Amino acid sequence: MLPQPALLMLVLVTSALASPPHIIFIVADDMGWNDVSFHGSDQIPTPNIDALGYNGVILNSHYVQPLCSPTRAALMTGLYPIHTGMQGYPMLAAEPRGLPLRKILPQYLKDLGYVTRAVGKWHLGFYRKEFTPTYRGFDSHLGYWTGSISYYDHIVQDIMDESVGRVVEALHNRRMLNNSIIVFISDNGAPSVGVFQNWGSNYPLRGIKATLWEGGVRGVALIWSPLLRQPSRVSDELMHVSDWLPTLYSAAGGDITKLDSNLDGVDQWSSLVYDEKSPRRQVLVNIDEREKTAALIIGDWKLVVGTFGNNGSLDGYYGNSGNSASNPRYNTSSVINSRAWKSIASTRRPVTQADVNKLRQAATVSCSKETFVTQTNCNPSITNTPCLFNIHEDPCEQNNLSGSSTDIVTAMYNILVRHRQSLIPQLNRPWDISGADPARFNSTWSSWLD
């Protein structure tokens, strides 16, 4: 597996006031669970990202959506995608739709005096200008509106980790770092196989991007800030990407009672800062009414309905462990000597090398050898019945407990049915190929219906 360039959405939210923190939110596109070295892989060193995690909080139970546009929609709105019609396939470039017009994260933060910048991938609509970033609360946007860009037209550097280090270093040089919050997440799991294969790995988790298995929706995530009172830990507290809107609003000093009362996201700031229990008890992973798939997490239990790919072709295990003899052993010195580590050392005494090894071990998910087979005792493509897992004891979703825990299956399925009643049908629309054709606009993607 070769190191792959990852696409970023970097949201820089800078306070114009004296005390509220600067907020830097980085979204890595299609990064797999095992594509950061703090999760145990030796294959792709990520020393700068690791440095942030070890000196911050590694979020090992952070859930996202199975695809990119839905995750970005949840981040911006604080809502499950089923409540905005964004739960289906990601926006295609010639598709005349966008994230529904409502108040979103940068607009809430501007109310608190912030200057807001977006860099990189948007992927939430541009067919009319009012759906583009600078009309949705961002003061500027340097990047692209669609889901990807061509490698042949842009200069792209390999392992993204270096860029993260440069951002942290720049914050330090501008004396902003000791009043900053840095969040790093992946928008979904890696597409280890299939049409959009990037050779990323979700090892040892089941499934890939576009599935509701853990490999598709349990995302890489961390938070670093001098404001954290209990840093240098691995958190298994439940969190969903929709939580970031109320969480960051709270961190910025906002009164969360002024937010939309119908938000699905919950304020996690105290949990993150003080190592308290998460206020979240369940996550609606998704309901896709067209594909007939759904997943729900309540406490340690996860219910999965439906199958993924053709005849369950994406229901298995994919991706490299990253720990073969051909890979150099993990180098803690490279973490300690990274730009990020050296920069954050100015704000607080960093952890020791021994702590690094302990934190890495704590962040690594281990499963039994039986994980890596083509079939498990849960095969929804054949049985057409829900699968139930205790993901605390069985994070790799090997042991289907639906037969022995029918009462839990029934209770969770009924909750899914209730969620289904509030679902807004998917907004996907037919392509407007002739109208959106970049050839009509000097070979650029443009808001073609304006």
Side-chain angles (χ1 to χ4, degrees), residues 191 255 361 371:
D255 179 357
Q361 184 176 8
T371 301

Side-chain angles (χ1 to χ4, degrees), residues 206 213 292 294 303-308 315 377-389 400-403 409 413:
R206 186 177 186 177
W213 305 114
K292 309 300 182 186
L303 188 74
V304 181
V305 177
T307 189
F308 304 92
D315 288 341
N377 68 342
C378 170
N379 194 332
S381 65
I382 295 176
T383 62
N384 197 32
T385 57
C387 305
L388 179 70
F389 304 97
N400 177 24
L401 301 173
S402 61
V409 172
Y413 191 85

Side-chain angles (χ1 to χ4, degrees), residues 173-228:
N173 291 340
R174 290 181 174 269
R175 300 182 180 179
M176 298 167 64
L177 193 59
N178 57 5
N179 189 30
S180 289
I181 297 170
I182 301 175
V183 179
F184 180 95
I185 71 168
S186 175
D187 64 349
N188 46 247
S192 307
V193 298
V195 176
F196 299 107
Q197 181 179 12
N198 70 354
W199 289 274
S201 173
N202 304 309
Y203 179 100
L205 304 179
R206 186 177 186 177
I208 63 169
K209 173 181 178 176
T211 77
L212 298 181
W213 305 114
E214 293 289 276
V217 296
R218 187 173 178 178
V220 173
L222 65 86
I223 182 172
W224 177 90
S225 175
L227 302 176
L228 298 174

Side-chain angles (χ1 to χ4, degrees), residues 17 20 50 123 136 142 144 182 186 192 219 256 264 268 283 404 422-423 434 440 442:
L17 305 176
D50 291 10
H123 211 187
R136 304 302 302 267
L142 176 64
Y144 53 102
I182 301 175
S186 175
S192 307
I256 61 169
D264 296 307
Q268 298 263 13
V283 168
S404 59
S422 65
L423 178 145
S434 60
R440 299 180 58 225
N442 196 29

Side-chain angles (χ1 to χ4, degrees), residues 409-449:
V409 172
T410 300
M412 294 183 71
Y413 191 85
N414 288 338
I415 293 173
L416 274 177
V417 170
R418 290 199 293 272
H419 279 299
R420 176 68 174 82
Q421 294 171 355
S422 65
L423 178 145
I424 294 175
Q426 293 177 33
L427 300 178
N428 303 72
R429 296 178 181 175
W431 303 355
D432 183 4
I433 296 176
S434 60
D437 190 350
R440 299 180 58 225
F441 306 98
N442 196 29
S443 299
T444 61
W445 288 109
S446 301
S447 301
W448 70 94
L449 290 184

Side-chain angles (χ1 to χ4, degrees), residues 10-270:
L10 172 62
V11 179
L12 295 170
V13 189
T14 306
S15 174
L17 305 176
S19 56
H22 310 293
I23 300 170
I24 302 89
F25 200 104
I26 304 172
V27 182
D29 194 68
D30 290 359
M31 171 179 264
W33 177 263
N34 210 38
D35 293 340
V36 288
S37 46
F38 69 71
H39 273 161
S41 173
D42 292 338
Q43 191 170 45
I44 304 177
T46 53
N48 290 285
I49 298 172
D50 291 10
L52 292 173
Y54 296 143
N55 291 284
V57 181
I58 296 172
L59 305 173
N60 255 23
S61 293
H62 182 272
Y63 284 86
V64 292
Q65 300 306 123
L67 294 163
C68 37
S69 290
T71 290
R72 285 163 169 76
L75 169 65
M76 290 294 169
T77 63
L79 294 170
Y80 290 138
I82 68 161
H83 294 147
T84 56
M86 297 291 294
Q87 65 271 24
Y89 201 79
M91 289 185 190
L92 301 175
E95 192 178 355
R97 70 174 172 121
L99 179 67
L101 296 175
R102 57 174 293 126
K103 196 168 186 178
I104 61 173
L105 176 60
Q107 294 166 317
Y108 279 113
L109 291 175
K110 284 185 74 67
D111 289 346
L112 301 178
Y114 279 81
V115 175
T116 57
R117 312 286 185 191
V119 180
K121 177 176 174 176
W122 174 238
H123 211 187
L124 288 173
F126 66 94
Y127 77 107
R128 292 191 186 277
K129 63 185 179 182
E130 57 261 38
F131 290 95
T132 61
T134 54
Y135 286 80
R136 304 302 302 267
F138 287 105
D139 292 305
S140 66
H141 174 224
L142 176 64
Y144 53 102
W145 290 338
T146 58
S148 61
I149 54 175
S150 169
Y151 290 119
Y152 298 102
D153 299 332
H154 296 261
I155 297 173
V156 181
Q157 291 181 306
D158 283 346
I159 293 180
M160 179 186 59
D161 182 80
E162 179 185 350
S163 297
V164 170
R166 290 182 182 274
V167 169
V168 178
E169 184 179 59
L171 291 166
H172 167 65
N173 291 340
R174 290 181 174 269
R175 300 182 180 179
M176 298 167 64
L177 193 59
N178 57 5
N179 189 30
S180 289
I181 297 170
I182 301 175
V183 179
F184 180 95
I185 71 168
S186 175
D187 64 349
N188 46 247
S192 307
V193 298
V195 176
F196 299 107
Q197 181 179 12
N198 70 354
W199 289 274
S201 173
N202 304 309
Y203 179 100
L205 304 179
R206 186 177 186 177
I208 63 169
K209 173 181 178 176
T211 77
L212 298 181
W213 305 114
E214 293 289 276
V217 296
R218 187 173 178 178
V220 173
L222 65 86
I223 182 172
W224 177 90
S225 175
L227 302 176
L228 298 174
R229 296 293 180 263
Q230 300 291 332
S232 302
R233 58 188 169 88
V234 177
S235 173
D236 290 316
E237 293 298 313
L238 193 60
M239 191 168 185
H240 184 255
V241 63
S242 64
D243 296 341
W244 288 111
L245 189 155
T247 298
L248 295 177
Y249 189 79
S250 176
D255 179 357
I256 61 169
T257 63
K258 294 182 179 180
L259 297 176
D260 186 337
S261 61
N262 293 321
L263 292 185
D264 296 307
V266 297
D267 177 12
Q268 298 263 13
W269 186 237
S270 291

